[in-house]
mmCIF file of all heavy atoms in Angstrom:
data_model
loop_
_atom_site.group_PDB
_atom_site.id
_atom_site.type_symbol
_atom_site.label_atom_id
_atom_site.label_comp_id
_atom_site.label_asym_id
_atom_site.label_seq_id
_atom_site.Cartn_x
_atom_site.Cartn_y
_atom_site.Cartn_z
ATOM 1 N N TYR A 26 11.825 10.559 5.227
ATOM 2 C CA TYR A 26 12.422 9.607 4.301
ATOM 3 C C TYR A 26 13.926 9.858 4.283
ATOM 4 O O TYR A 26 14.409 10.814 4.896
ATOM 5 C CB TYR A 26 11.819 9.730 2.898
ATOM 6 C CG TYR A 26 12.091 11.041 2.198
ATOM 7 C CD1 TYR A 26 13.137 11.161 1.285
ATOM 8 C CD2 TYR A 26 11.309 12.162 2.437
ATOM 9 C CE1 TYR A 26 13.392 12.367 0.643
ATOM 10 C CE2 TYR A 26 11.551 13.357 1.790
ATOM 11 C CZ TYR A 26 12.597 13.455 0.891
ATOM 12 O OH TYR A 26 12.853 14.632 0.252
ATOM 13 N N LEU A 27 14.668 8.996 3.599
ATOM 14 C CA LEU A 27 16.125 9.135 3.530
ATOM 15 C C LEU A 27 16.576 9.363 2.106
ATOM 16 O O LEU A 27 16.015 8.807 1.167
ATOM 17 C CB LEU A 27 16.813 7.872 4.059
ATOM 18 C CG LEU A 27 16.534 7.474 5.506
ATOM 19 C CD1 LEU A 27 17.247 6.182 5.837
ATOM 20 C CD2 LEU A 27 16.965 8.579 6.448
ATOM 21 N N VAL A 28 17.630 10.165 1.959
ATOM 22 C CA VAL A 28 18.314 10.342 0.683
ATOM 23 C C VAL A 28 19.691 9.720 0.863
ATOM 24 O O VAL A 28 20.449 10.109 1.755
ATOM 25 C CB VAL A 28 18.455 11.832 0.301
ATOM 26 C CG1 VAL A 28 19.200 11.963 -1.017
ATOM 27 C CG2 VAL A 28 17.107 12.496 0.227
ATOM 28 N N ILE A 29 19.997 8.715 0.037
ATOM 29 C CA ILE A 29 21.286 8.033 0.099
ATOM 30 C C ILE A 29 22.093 8.492 -1.102
ATOM 31 O O ILE A 29 21.693 8.269 -2.248
ATOM 32 C CB ILE A 29 21.105 6.509 0.088
ATOM 33 C CG1 ILE A 29 20.208 6.096 1.251
ATOM 34 C CG2 ILE A 29 22.451 5.799 0.149
ATOM 35 C CD1 ILE A 29 19.456 4.837 1.028
ATOM 36 N N THR A 30 23.220 9.145 -0.856
ATOM 37 C CA THR A 30 24.069 9.657 -1.920
ATOM 38 C C THR A 30 25.342 8.836 -1.945
ATOM 39 O O THR A 30 26.023 8.694 -0.928
ATOM 40 C CB THR A 30 24.409 11.142 -1.682
ATOM 41 O OG1 THR A 30 23.194 11.856 -1.454
ATOM 42 C CG2 THR A 30 25.139 11.731 -2.865
ATOM 43 N N VAL A 31 25.665 8.284 -3.126
ATOM 44 C CA VAL A 31 26.875 7.477 -3.288
ATOM 45 C C VAL A 31 27.838 8.278 -4.156
ATOM 46 O O VAL A 31 27.536 8.604 -5.296
ATOM 47 C CB VAL A 31 26.562 6.116 -3.954
ATOM 48 C CG1 VAL A 31 27.830 5.309 -4.134
ATOM 49 C CG2 VAL A 31 25.537 5.358 -3.131
ATOM 50 N N GLY A 32 29.007 8.577 -3.592
ATOM 51 C CA GLY A 32 30.016 9.378 -4.274
ATOM 52 C C GLY A 32 30.162 10.715 -3.580
ATOM 53 O O GLY A 32 29.241 11.224 -2.968
ATOM 54 N N SER A 33 31.363 11.296 -3.715
ATOM 55 C CA SER A 33 31.614 12.564 -3.037
ATOM 56 C C SER A 33 31.457 13.764 -3.965
ATOM 57 O O SER A 33 31.226 14.869 -3.512
ATOM 58 C CB SER A 33 33.018 12.568 -2.425
ATOM 59 O OG SER A 33 33.975 12.271 -3.424
ATOM 60 N N ASP A 34 31.561 13.539 -5.280
ATOM 61 C CA ASP A 34 31.402 14.624 -6.240
ATOM 62 C C ASP A 34 29.918 14.802 -6.545
ATOM 63 O O ASP A 34 29.266 13.883 -7.039
ATOM 64 C CB ASP A 34 32.190 14.321 -7.522
ATOM 65 C CG ASP A 34 32.122 15.447 -8.534
ATOM 66 O OD1 ASP A 34 31.794 16.577 -8.124
ATOM 67 O OD2 ASP A 34 32.393 15.204 -9.719
ATOM 68 N N GLU A 35 29.393 15.987 -6.257
ATOM 69 C CA GLU A 35 27.948 16.238 -6.401
ATOM 70 C C GLU A 35 27.452 16.030 -7.830
ATOM 71 O O GLU A 35 26.338 15.582 -8.051
ATOM 72 C CB GLU A 35 27.622 17.668 -5.935
ATOM 73 C CG GLU A 35 26.162 17.957 -5.776
ATOM 74 C CD GLU A 35 25.497 17.172 -4.657
ATOM 75 O OE1 GLU A 35 26.136 16.879 -3.652
ATOM 76 O OE2 GLU A 35 24.310 16.844 -4.824
ATOM 77 N N SER A 36 28.300 16.317 -8.821
ATOM 78 C CA SER A 36 27.845 16.209 -10.211
ATOM 79 C C SER A 36 27.754 14.755 -10.684
ATOM 80 O O SER A 36 26.962 14.446 -11.569
ATOM 81 C CB SER A 36 28.774 17.002 -11.137
ATOM 82 O OG SER A 36 30.086 16.466 -11.085
ATOM 83 N N THR A 37 28.535 13.859 -10.125
ATOM 84 C CA THR A 37 28.508 12.460 -10.556
ATOM 85 C C THR A 37 27.894 11.524 -9.518
ATOM 86 O O THR A 37 27.765 10.336 -9.773
ATOM 87 C CB THR A 37 29.934 11.970 -10.880
ATOM 88 O OG1 THR A 37 30.740 12.103 -9.701
ATOM 89 C CG2 THR A 37 30.530 12.762 -12.029
ATOM 90 N N ALA A 38 27.529 12.060 -8.362
ATOM 91 C CA ALA A 38 26.974 11.224 -7.292
ATOM 92 C C ALA A 38 25.623 10.660 -7.706
ATOM 93 O O ALA A 38 24.833 11.297 -8.387
ATOM 94 C CB ALA A 38 26.834 12.033 -6.008
ATOM 95 N N LYS A 39 25.373 9.441 -7.282
ATOM 96 C CA LYS A 39 24.102 8.761 -7.551
ATOM 97 C C LYS A 39 23.251 8.874 -6.290
ATOM 98 O O LYS A 39 23.728 8.636 -5.178
ATOM 99 C CB LYS A 39 24.390 7.298 -7.899
ATOM 100 C CG LYS A 39 23.187 6.459 -8.135
ATOM 101 C CD LYS A 39 22.694 6.573 -9.549
ATOM 102 C CE LYS A 39 21.600 5.534 -9.738
ATOM 103 N NZ LYS A 39 20.676 5.794 -10.715
ATOM 104 N N LYS A 40 21.973 9.265 -6.461
ATOM 105 C CA LYS A 40 21.086 9.430 -5.305
ATOM 106 C C LYS A 40 19.992 8.379 -5.332
ATOM 107 O O LYS A 40 19.442 8.067 -6.380
ATOM 108 C CB LYS A 40 20.456 10.824 -5.302
ATOM 109 C CG LYS A 40 21.455 11.903 -5.007
ATOM 110 C CD LYS A 40 20.797 13.222 -4.760
ATOM 111 C CE LYS A 40 21.866 14.221 -4.397
ATOM 112 N NZ LYS A 40 21.353 15.439 -3.856
ATOM 113 N N TYR A 41 19.691 7.870 -4.158
ATOM 114 C CA TYR A 41 18.605 6.906 -3.960
ATOM 115 C C TYR A 41 17.681 7.476 -2.893
ATOM 116 O O TYR A 41 18.127 8.130 -1.964
ATOM 117 C CB TYR A 41 19.162 5.553 -3.498
ATOM 118 C CG TYR A 41 20.165 4.948 -4.448
ATOM 119 C CD1 TYR A 41 21.519 5.186 -4.295
ATOM 120 C CD2 TYR A 41 19.752 4.144 -5.497
ATOM 121 C CE1 TYR A 41 22.448 4.636 -5.166
ATOM 122 C CE2 TYR A 41 20.670 3.586 -6.377
ATOM 123 C CZ TYR A 41 22.011 3.844 -6.203
ATOM 124 O OH TYR A 41 22.922 3.304 -7.074
ATOM 125 N N TYR A 42 16.389 7.176 -3.027
ATOM 126 C CA TYR A 42 15.393 7.681 -2.090
ATOM 127 C C TYR A 42 14.619 6.500 -1.504
ATOM 128 O O TYR A 42 14.226 5.594 -2.228
ATOM 129 C CB TYR A 42 14.416 8.631 -2.795
ATOM 130 C CG TYR A 42 15.115 9.837 -3.375
ATOM 131 C CD1 TYR A 42 15.642 9.810 -4.666
ATOM 132 C CD2 TYR A 42 15.260 10.994 -2.622
ATOM 133 C CE1 TYR A 42 16.295 10.912 -5.190
ATOM 134 C CE2 TYR A 42 15.909 12.099 -3.144
ATOM 135 C CZ TYR A 42 16.416 12.051 -4.427
ATOM 136 O OH TYR A 42 17.072 13.140 -4.936
ATOM 137 N N THR A 43 14.404 6.549 -0.191
ATOM 138 C CA THR A 43 13.673 5.470 0.470
ATOM 139 C C THR A 43 12.183 5.766 0.496
ATOM 140 O O THR A 43 11.755 6.893 0.255
ATOM 141 C CB THR A 43 14.149 5.286 1.924
ATOM 142 O OG1 THR A 43 13.805 6.453 2.666
ATOM 143 C CG2 THR A 43 15.634 5.021 1.999
ATOM 144 N N ASP A 44 11.413 4.737 0.825
ATOM 145 C CA ASP A 44 10.013 4.958 1.150
ATOM 146 C C ASP A 44 9.975 5.873 2.377
ATOM 147 O O ASP A 44 10.973 5.997 3.102
ATOM 148 C CB ASP A 44 9.320 3.639 1.510
ATOM 149 C CG ASP A 44 9.000 2.792 0.281
ATOM 150 O OD1 ASP A 44 8.972 3.345 -0.833
ATOM 151 O OD2 ASP A 44 8.789 1.583 0.452
ATOM 152 N N TYR A 45 8.851 6.479 2.621
ATOM 153 C CA TYR A 45 8.742 7.348 3.787
ATOM 154 C C TYR A 45 7.985 6.638 4.899
ATOM 155 O O TYR A 45 7.234 5.709 4.659
ATOM 156 C CB TYR A 45 8.061 8.673 3.433
ATOM 157 C CG TYR A 45 6.618 8.545 3.042
ATOM 158 C CD1 TYR A 45 5.616 8.698 3.984
ATOM 159 C CD2 TYR A 45 6.250 8.258 1.737
ATOM 160 C CE1 TYR A 45 4.288 8.571 3.629
ATOM 161 C CE2 TYR A 45 4.931 8.133 1.371
ATOM 162 C CZ TYR A 45 3.956 8.286 2.320
ATOM 163 O OH TYR A 45 2.639 8.162 1.966
ATOM 164 N N ILE A 46 8.222 7.104 6.095
ATOM 165 C CA ILE A 46 7.425 6.663 7.241
ATOM 166 C C ILE A 46 6.472 7.807 7.530
ATOM 167 O O ILE A 46 6.885 8.945 7.729
ATOM 168 C CB ILE A 46 8.286 6.361 8.477
ATOM 169 C CG1 ILE A 46 9.277 5.245 8.190
ATOM 170 C CG2 ILE A 46 7.386 5.987 9.655
ATOM 171 C CD1 ILE A 46 10.198 4.927 9.353
ATOM 172 N N GLU A 47 5.180 7.480 7.536
ATOM 173 C CA GLU A 47 4.163 8.507 7.720
ATOM 174 C C GLU A 47 4.018 8.878 9.188
ATOM 175 O O GLU A 47 4.202 8.039 10.074
ATOM 176 C CB GLU A 47 2.830 7.997 7.169
ATOM 177 C CG GLU A 47 1.805 9.060 7.016
ATOM 178 C CD GLU A 47 0.593 8.572 6.228
ATOM 179 O OE1 GLU A 47 0.567 7.423 5.808
ATOM 180 O OE2 GLU A 47 -0.327 9.366 6.064
ATOM 181 N N ARG A 48 3.682 10.117 9.420
ATOM 182 C CA ARG A 48 3.411 10.613 10.766
ATOM 183 C C ARG A 48 2.352 9.726 11.415
ATOM 184 O O ARG A 48 1.403 9.324 10.769
ATOM 185 C CB ARG A 48 2.884 12.042 10.661
ATOM 186 C CG ARG A 48 2.638 12.688 11.977
ATOM 187 C CD ARG A 48 2.082 14.094 11.735
ATOM 188 N NE ARG A 48 2.027 14.835 12.954
ATOM 189 C CZ ARG A 48 1.140 14.620 13.914
ATOM 190 N NH1 ARG A 48 0.232 13.689 13.782
ATOM 191 N NH2 ARG A 48 1.155 15.339 15.015
ATOM 192 N N HIS A 49 2.519 9.414 12.690
ATOM 193 C CA HIS A 49 1.594 8.501 13.365
ATOM 194 C C HIS A 49 1.414 8.908 14.819
ATOM 195 O O HIS A 49 2.174 9.712 15.349
ATOM 196 C CB HIS A 49 2.105 7.058 13.269
ATOM 197 C CG HIS A 49 3.416 6.856 13.961
ATOM 198 N ND1 HIS A 49 3.496 6.452 15.258
ATOM 199 C CD2 HIS A 49 4.692 7.028 13.538
ATOM 200 C CE1 HIS A 49 4.762 6.359 15.619
ATOM 201 N NE2 HIS A 49 5.519 6.714 14.586
ATOM 202 N N ASN A 50 0.405 8.332 15.442
ATOM 203 C CA ASN A 50 0.120 8.598 16.853
ATOM 204 C C ASN A 50 0.275 7.350 17.708
ATOM 205 O O ASN A 50 -0.184 7.320 18.842
ATOM 206 C CB ASN A 50 -1.298 9.167 17.024
ATOM 207 C CG ASN A 50 -1.406 10.561 16.468
ATOM 208 O OD1 ASN A 50 -0.473 11.345 16.571
ATOM 209 N ND2 ASN A 50 -2.532 10.870 15.864
ATOM 210 N N ASP A 51 0.871 6.302 17.154
ATOM 211 C CA ASP A 51 1.068 5.065 17.910
ATOM 212 C C ASP A 51 2.125 5.282 18.991
ATOM 213 O O ASP A 51 3.076 6.033 18.806
ATOM 214 C CB ASP A 51 1.526 3.935 16.982
ATOM 215 C CG ASP A 51 0.509 3.640 15.892
ATOM 216 O OD1 ASP A 51 -0.667 4.002 16.067
ATOM 217 O OD2 ASP A 51 0.902 3.055 14.867
ATOM 218 N N ALA A 52 1.964 4.590 20.098
ATOM 219 C CA ALA A 52 2.934 4.708 21.186
ATOM 220 C C ALA A 52 4.282 4.119 20.773
ATOM 221 O O ALA A 52 5.331 4.599 21.175
ATOM 222 C CB ALA A 52 2.407 4.008 22.430
ATOM 223 N N GLN A 53 4.235 3.077 19.936
ATOM 224 C CA GLN A 53 5.475 2.415 19.509
ATOM 225 C C GLN A 53 6.051 3.133 18.291
ATOM 226 O O GLN A 53 5.335 3.552 17.389
ATOM 227 C CB GLN A 53 5.174 0.960 19.158
ATOM 228 C CG GLN A 53 6.412 0.155 18.902
ATOM 229 C CD GLN A 53 6.071 -1.317 18.751
ATOM 230 O OE1 GLN A 53 4.943 -1.724 18.925
ATOM 231 N NE2 GLN A 53 7.073 -2.105 18.425
ATOM 232 N N GLU A 54 7.373 3.254 18.262
ATOM 233 C CA GLU A 54 8.048 3.897 17.132
ATOM 234 C C GLU A 54 7.884 3.060 15.871
ATOM 235 O O GLU A 54 7.789 1.840 15.944
ATOM 236 C CB GLU A 54 9.538 4.049 17.436
ATOM 237 C CG GLU A 54 9.826 4.933 18.626
ATOM 238 C CD GLU A 54 11.302 4.973 18.958
ATOM 239 O OE1 GLU A 54 12.014 3.969 18.715
ATOM 240 O OE2 GLU A 54 11.749 6.010 19.463
ATOM 241 N N LYS A 55 7.860 3.716 14.714
ATOM 242 C CA LYS A 55 7.811 2.998 13.440
ATOM 243 C C LYS A 55 9.214 3.003 12.844
ATOM 244 O O LYS A 55 9.954 3.971 12.983
ATOM 245 C CB LYS A 55 6.831 3.667 12.493
ATOM 246 C CG LYS A 55 5.408 3.577 12.992
ATOM 247 C CD LYS A 55 4.456 3.458 11.872
ATOM 248 C CE LYS A 55 3.066 3.240 12.468
ATOM 249 N NZ LYS A 55 2.058 3.112 11.514
ATOM 250 N N THR A 56 9.556 1.893 12.181
ATOM 251 C CA THR A 56 10.902 1.779 11.613
ATOM 252 C C THR A 56 10.842 1.344 10.155
ATOM 253 O O THR A 56 9.864 0.747 9.702
ATOM 254 C CB THR A 56 11.755 0.755 12.393
ATOM 255 O OG1 THR A 56 11.121 -0.515 12.326
ATOM 256 C CG2 THR A 56 11.944 1.165 13.836
ATOM 257 N N LEU A 57 11.921 1.661 9.451
ATOM 258 C CA LEU A 57 12.137 1.218 8.083
ATOM 259 C C LEU A 57 13.562 0.675 8.061
ATOM 260 O O LEU A 57 14.507 1.402 8.392
ATOM 261 C CB LEU A 57 11.995 2.383 7.095
ATOM 262 C CG LEU A 57 12.303 2.037 5.658
ATOM 263 C CD1 LEU A 57 10.996 1.709 4.939
ATOM 264 C CD2 LEU A 57 12.974 3.176 4.951
ATOM 265 N N THR A 58 13.710 -0.587 7.732
ATOM 266 C CA THR A 58 15.020 -1.230 7.739
ATOM 267 C C THR A 58 15.326 -1.770 6.351
ATOM 268 O O THR A 58 14.469 -2.361 5.702
ATOM 269 C CB THR A 58 15.055 -2.391 8.764
ATOM 270 O OG1 THR A 58 14.685 -1.866 10.047
ATOM 271 C CG2 THR A 58 16.417 -3.020 8.849
ATOM 272 N N PHE A 59 16.563 -1.567 5.898
ATOM 273 C CA PHE A 59 17.020 -2.107 4.621
ATOM 274 C C PHE A 59 18.529 -2.329 4.707
ATOM 275 O O PHE A 59 19.175 -1.923 5.670
ATOM 276 C CB PHE A 59 16.652 -1.164 3.454
ATOM 277 C CG PHE A 59 17.261 0.202 3.551
ATOM 278 C CD1 PHE A 59 18.464 0.493 2.921
ATOM 279 C CD2 PHE A 59 16.630 1.197 4.273
ATOM 280 C CE1 PHE A 59 19.015 1.756 3.010
ATOM 281 C CE2 PHE A 59 17.176 2.462 4.357
ATOM 282 C CZ PHE A 59 18.372 2.744 3.727
ATOM 283 N N LYS A 60 19.065 -3.018 3.707
ATOM 284 C CA LYS A 60 20.497 -3.332 3.683
ATOM 285 C C LYS A 60 21.178 -2.597 2.540
ATOM 286 O O LYS A 60 20.605 -2.407 1.478
ATOM 287 C CB LYS A 60 20.702 -4.823 3.531
ATOM 288 C CG LYS A 60 20.163 -5.620 4.707
ATOM 289 C CD LYS A 60 20.731 -7.008 4.727
ATOM 290 C CE LYS A 60 20.210 -7.809 5.896
ATOM 291 N NZ LYS A 60 20.512 -7.290 7.184
ATOM 292 N N ILE A 61 22.405 -2.189 2.796
ATOM 293 C CA ILE A 61 23.271 -1.641 1.757
ATOM 294 C C ILE A 61 24.425 -2.628 1.597
ATOM 295 O O ILE A 61 25.139 -2.917 2.557
ATOM 296 C CB ILE A 61 23.821 -0.250 2.123
ATOM 297 C CG1 ILE A 61 22.697 0.757 2.240
ATOM 298 C CG2 ILE A 61 24.844 0.217 1.089
ATOM 299 C CD1 ILE A 61 23.137 2.148 2.649
ATOM 300 N N ILE A 62 24.558 -3.161 0.386
ATOM 301 C CA ILE A 62 25.645 -4.094 0.103
ATOM 302 C C ILE A 62 26.683 -3.336 -0.715
ATOM 303 O O ILE A 62 26.412 -2.907 -1.835
ATOM 304 C CB ILE A 62 25.122 -5.324 -0.668
ATOM 305 C CG1 ILE A 62 24.052 -6.035 0.165
ATOM 306 C CG2 ILE A 62 26.273 -6.255 -1.023
ATOM 307 C CD1 ILE A 62 23.276 -7.085 -0.582
ATOM 308 N N VAL A 63 27.861 -3.159 -0.140
ATOM 309 C CA VAL A 63 28.941 -2.412 -0.787
ATOM 310 C C VAL A 63 29.907 -3.421 -1.388
ATOM 311 O O VAL A 63 30.479 -4.249 -0.674
ATOM 312 C CB VAL A 63 29.655 -1.492 0.224
ATOM 313 C CG1 VAL A 63 30.760 -0.707 -0.451
ATOM 314 C CG2 VAL A 63 28.662 -0.557 0.888
ATOM 315 N N THR A 64 30.085 -3.374 -2.726
ATOM 316 C CA THR A 64 31.000 -4.297 -3.403
ATOM 317 C C THR A 64 32.377 -3.680 -3.610
ATOM 318 O O THR A 64 33.356 -4.399 -3.740
ATOM 319 C CB THR A 64 30.421 -4.729 -4.760
ATOM 320 O OG1 THR A 64 30.191 -3.580 -5.557
ATOM 321 C CG2 THR A 64 29.128 -5.509 -4.575
ATOM 322 N N GLU A 65 32.460 -2.360 -3.649
ATOM 323 C CA GLU A 65 33.728 -1.625 -3.720
ATOM 324 C C GLU A 65 33.647 -0.502 -2.710
ATOM 325 O O GLU A 65 32.572 0.010 -2.452
ATOM 326 C CB GLU A 65 33.922 -0.987 -5.105
ATOM 327 C CG GLU A 65 33.926 -1.920 -6.263
ATOM 328 C CD GLU A 65 33.990 -1.157 -7.591
ATOM 329 O OE1 GLU A 65 33.959 0.093 -7.594
ATOM 330 O OE2 GLU A 65 34.045 -1.821 -8.617
ATOM 331 N N ASP A 66 34.784 -0.110 -2.152
ATOM 332 C CA ASP A 66 34.766 1.000 -1.208
ATOM 333 C C ASP A 66 34.064 2.201 -1.840
ATOM 334 O O ASP A 66 34.301 2.520 -3.006
ATOM 335 C CB ASP A 66 36.182 1.395 -0.804
ATOM 336 C CG ASP A 66 36.861 0.315 0.034
ATOM 337 O OD1 ASP A 66 36.219 -0.714 0.283
ATOM 338 O OD2 ASP A 66 38.022 0.511 0.422
ATOM 339 N N ALA A 67 33.203 2.844 -1.087
ATOM 340 C CA ALA A 67 32.433 3.973 -1.630
ATOM 341 C C ALA A 67 32.091 4.966 -0.528
ATOM 342 O O ALA A 67 31.856 4.582 0.616
ATOM 343 C CB ALA A 67 31.144 3.469 -2.273
ATOM 344 N N MET A 68 32.081 6.240 -0.907
ATOM 345 C CA MET A 68 31.638 7.298 0.009
ATOM 346 C C MET A 68 30.115 7.313 -0.006
ATOM 347 O O MET A 68 29.492 7.474 -1.056
ATOM 348 C CB MET A 68 32.176 8.650 -0.435
ATOM 349 C CG MET A 68 31.665 9.814 0.401
ATOM 350 S SD MET A 68 32.051 9.665 2.150
ATOM 351 C CE MET A 68 33.681 10.344 2.186
ATOM 352 N N VAL A 69 29.511 7.105 1.166
ATOM 353 C CA VAL A 69 28.054 7.051 1.277
ATOM 354 C C VAL A 69 27.599 8.106 2.277
ATOM 355 O O VAL A 69 28.130 8.198 3.377
ATOM 356 C CB VAL A 69 27.583 5.649 1.722
ATOM 357 C CG1 VAL A 69 26.083 5.624 1.940
ATOM 358 C CG2 VAL A 69 27.998 4.593 0.710
#
């Protein structure tokens, strides 16, 4: 899964967590795609 941290200061940074991709045995890779819309410049 992914941890998305917005902000550079650890004490005030906001964290977001994605869904996870489960371990699999399929020949094709599994993907998780989403969009991040930035309205003000931000450290991500």
Side-chain angles (χ1 to χ4, degrees):
Y26 65 97
L27 300 178
V28 179
I29 303 153
T30 308
V31 179
S33 55
D34 183 19
E35 191 66 32
S36 62
T37 60
K39 177 85 172 155
K40 290 190 177 193
Y41 302 92
Y42 299 88
T43 66
D44 283 341
Y45 66 94
I46 299 178
E47 193 169 0
R48 183 181 189 286
H49 63 92
N50 290 323
D51 300 339
Q53 188 172 355
E54 298 176 330
K55 294 214 175 180
T56 60
L57 176 96
T58 304
F59 61 94
K60 296 197 180 299
I61 296 178
I62 301 169
V63 181
T64 58
E65 301 174 356
D66 292 0
M68 175 58 85
V69 176

